[in-house]
Amino acid sequence: MLKIALSGCNGRMGHVIADIVDGKKDMNIVAGFDVNTTKSGAFPVFADPFEFTGECDVIIDFSNASSTEHLLAFCEKKHIPIVICTTGHSPEQLQKIREASAQFPIFRSGNMSIGINLMMDLLRKSAAVLGDGFDVEIIEKHHNQKLDAPSGTALMLADAVSEALPYDANYEYDRHERREKRPPHEIGIHAVRGGTIVGEHSVLFCGRDEIIEIKHSALSREVFAVGAVDAAAFMATCSQPGMYDMTDVIASK
């Protein structure tokens, strides 16, 4: 039986993950971590991970970037693998995650959807073929409660495109103060926030008299929760420290 600790258990994604795990016979949630300690499931909830004295095989984190460092300290002390689904980390926080991965296994992805990760492969192939003959623009849309902008997924997609381009791309988030033609070697990234949009990401390759658009739409948060649970099952088998991502999960299948 896979024992999971769920960080951010009382958030939107936490509730979805708890429902999915509840329907599985080979795993269960043994503890929740959240600043809101309301008990809504069959497991205890702790404001501080260090208050939990039980055993778990893996942690799923869908909390807040501000909680990451404390959670990493807990994982290092217990030597527990972690699936970091939280986005919005600063460059300094990302560096601490990379450093911690030398001590224990860490899974991190800006998006837990298998569809998004397959989309990244398509973007790399497209960018390699289209080269510098097409301008690249990324548009991401999310609900009005999302805190970070642009989304971690948008940055993942931009990185996938940038890896395959024949030039060093500059990420441009805001053009309103500029009055000039679009430079050729930039990737425009635009964030829309409204209503209850779960998540939509479009990447446009805009050339002379033609546009290629690669798009992914998430119709419910369950697609991310399923990916997180799959990643947790995979990480529970990883004994070696290191950084893992969805490509490792897909390869394991």
Side-chain angles (χ1 to χ4, degrees):
M1 179 70 72
L2 182 66
K3 299 176 181 178
I4 299 172
L6 178 57
S7 177
C9 61
N10 281 325
R12 294 185 187 89
M13 287 304 303
H15 288 304
V16 178
I17 289 174
D19 287 341
I20 289 176
V21 173
D22 190 53
K24 293 183 176 292
K25 297 180 179 180
D26 57 348
M27 60 180 64
N28 73 309
I29 297 175
V30 295
F33 307 144
D34 204 296
V35 292
N36 172 13
T37 56
T38 301
K39 187 174 181 294
S40 57
F43 50 86
V45 180
F46 303 93
D48 187 334
F50 284 94
E51 296 175 358
F52 173 58
T53 58
E55 295 183 358
C56 69
D57 302 308
V58 63
I59 294 175
I60 298 178
D61 175 38
F62 252 118
S63 58
N64 187 284
S66 62
S67 304
T68 299
E69 189 171 351
H70 192 60
L71 200 55
L72 291 177
F74 175 76
C75 291
E76 183 172 358
K77 181 178 180 179
K78 301 287 188 178
H79 202 76
I80 301 171
I82 184 171
V83 176
I84 300 178
C85 309
T86 302
T87 60
H89 293 102
S90 68
E92 294 75 18
Q93 289 173 320
L94 292 176
Q95 180 58 30
K96 288 181 179 179
I97 291 172
R98 286 189 287 268
E99 291 172 356
S101 70
Q103 305 301 320
F104 58 93
I106 296 179
F107 176 104
R108 180 182 172 274
S109 177
N111 190 292
M112 302 304 299
S113 161
I114 291 179
I116 281 288
N117 285 272
L118 292 176
M119 180 180 178
M120 289 170 62
D121 285 338
L122 293 175
L123 292 175
R124 292 187 187 96
K125 293 176 182 178
S126 299
V129 172
L130 300 175
D132 59 2
F134 285 69
D135 297 324
V136 182
E137 296 284 309
I138 298 175
I139 303 169
E140 57 99 343
K141 304 176 185 178
H142 285 88
H143 53 86
N144 57 22
Q145 301 299 302
K146 186 170 178 60
L147 299 180
D148 54 318
S151 67
T153 301
L155 294 175
M156 280 177 57
L157 299 179
D159 289 345
V161 172
S162 182
E163 289 171 11
L165 289 173
Y167 55 83
D168 293 328
N170 176 52
Y171 295 177
E172 182 58 55
Y173 307 101
D174 187 4
R175 297 192 179 103
H176 83 278
E177 292 184 349
R178 290 168 40 185
R179 189 167 181 81
E180 61 183 30
K181 293 181 180 179
R182 183 190 193 281
H185 292 167
E186 72 177 26
I187 296 177
I189 305 177
H190 316 277
V192 175
R193 296 291 177 267
T196 58
I197 302 171
V198 175
E200 293 184 10
H201 293 84
S202 298
V203 180
L204 306 177
F205 292 89
C206 306
R208 183 178 179 87
D209 298 329
E210 63 178 333
I211 299 173
I212 300 169
E213 179 176 5
I214 301 176
K215 179 178 180 180
H216 178 273
S217 297
L219 302 183
S220 78
R221 291 184 176 87
E222 188 167 319
V223 297
F224 311 122
V226 169
V229 172
D230 285 347
F234 168 76
M235 290 299 289
T237 68
C238 296
S239 58
Q240 295 300 316
M243 288 294 300
Y244 300 83
D245 59 28
M246 191 58 77
T247 58
D248 298 302
V249 178
I250 293 174
S252 72
K253 293 180 177 293

